[in-house]
Amino acid sequence: MLNNDIMIRLRYGLDIKDTDMVEIFKLGGMNVTKDDVRMMLQRIDEDEYGEEIVPEGYIRVNNAMMEQFLNGFVTFKRGKRPGETGTPPLTGETVNNQLLKKVKIALALTSEDMLEIFDLAGVRVSKGELGAILRKEGHKNYRECGDKFARNFLKGLALKYRE
């Protein structure tokens, strides 16, 4: 799944405005304009041959940009930590794992809340599976979060927060 798709789904699920998106990027250490945000949030279509039709001016969100956005999202929702200066360093962790971790922190979700979100999307997840995905990369029980898992989490977020 493209990082742009993740941002589109997260924005829709939590009803984040364009001006808030600009502020979130700023808090994550990246300056963008409302026009930049709009160009990031455009969808890529495919023609009848499966070739991508990329809109003019489209901005593809790379992993570093996505991590900055997620860091800014945590700060936007929770505020800066006491004594923290600047922006957090980039970890290089997989985007899907970061997405689950950072959204959990930003929205102050418990594991039970996350299991409920997955349940809303029609996915049964055990506490052990969720714990493995939320672990630090390099831990013996760490598990990489797949696209389908992340997509279902975003779907569940939309169902929960856009009722």
Side-chain angles (χ1 to χ4, degrees), residues 101-153:
K101 288 178 188 179
K102 304 279 173 136
V103 170
K104 180 181 190 235
I105 292 167
L107 300 178
L109 299 173
T110 63
S111 293
E112 286 76 22
D113 294 334
M114 292 185 75
L115 293 173
E116 177 190 329
I117 288 169
F118 279 112
D119 197 41
L120 286 172
V123 177
R124 302 285 301 150
V125 180
S126 71
K127 273 191 172 184
E129 285 178 298
L130 183 60
I133 288 171
L134 296 175
R135 293 201 183 277
K136 187 174 183 176
E137 194 169 11
H139 188 279
K140 68 176 186 169
N141 293 331
Y142 170 81
R143 182 173 153 223
E144 196 168 303
C145 179
D147 285 346
K148 186 175 180 183
F149 208 74
R151 238 187 325 273
N152 283 313
F153 179 72

Side-chain angles (χ1 to χ4, degrees), residues 1 5-15 43 99-100 103 107 109 113-124 145-163:
M1 182 164 54
D5 291 334
I6 292 171
M7 285 181 56
I8 290 167
R9 291 167 191 251
L10 188 60
R11 179 181 185 267
Y12 173 78
L14 299 175
D15 196 24
R43 293 200 183 269
L99 170 71
L100 266 62
V103 170
L107 300 178
L109 299 173
D113 294 334
M114 292 185 75
L115 293 173
E116 177 190 329
I117 288 169
F118 279 112
D119 197 41
L120 286 172
V123 177
R124 302 285 301 150
C145 179
D147 285 346
K148 186 175 180 183
F149 208 74
R151 238 187 325 273
N152 283 313
F153 179 72
L154 293 169
K155 178 182 174 185
L157 271 179
L159 292 170
K160 180 173 176 142
Y161 288 97
R162 290 196 60 103
E163 293 177 342

Side-chain angles (χ1 to χ4, degrees), residues 66-125:
M66 189 66 194
E67 187 169 353
Q68 287 175 307
F69 176 78
L70 292 171
N71 288 339
F73 183 62
V74 171
T75 305
F76 181 76
K77 287 293 197 179
R78 303 281 302 256
K80 280 200 179 271
R81 289 166 137 184
E84 184 179 88
T85 58
T87 57
L90 302 179
T91 63
E93 232 181 347
T94 61
V95 172
N96 292 341
N97 288 70
Q98 276 186 35
L99 170 71
L100 266 62
K101 288 178 188 179
K102 304 279 173 136
V103 170
K104 180 181 190 235
I105 292 167
L107 300 178
L109 299 173
T110 63
S111 293
E112 286 76 22
D113 294 334
M114 292 185 75
L115 293 173
E116 177 190 329
I117 288 169
F118 279 112
D119 197 41
L120 286 172
V123 177
R124 302 285 301 150
V125 180

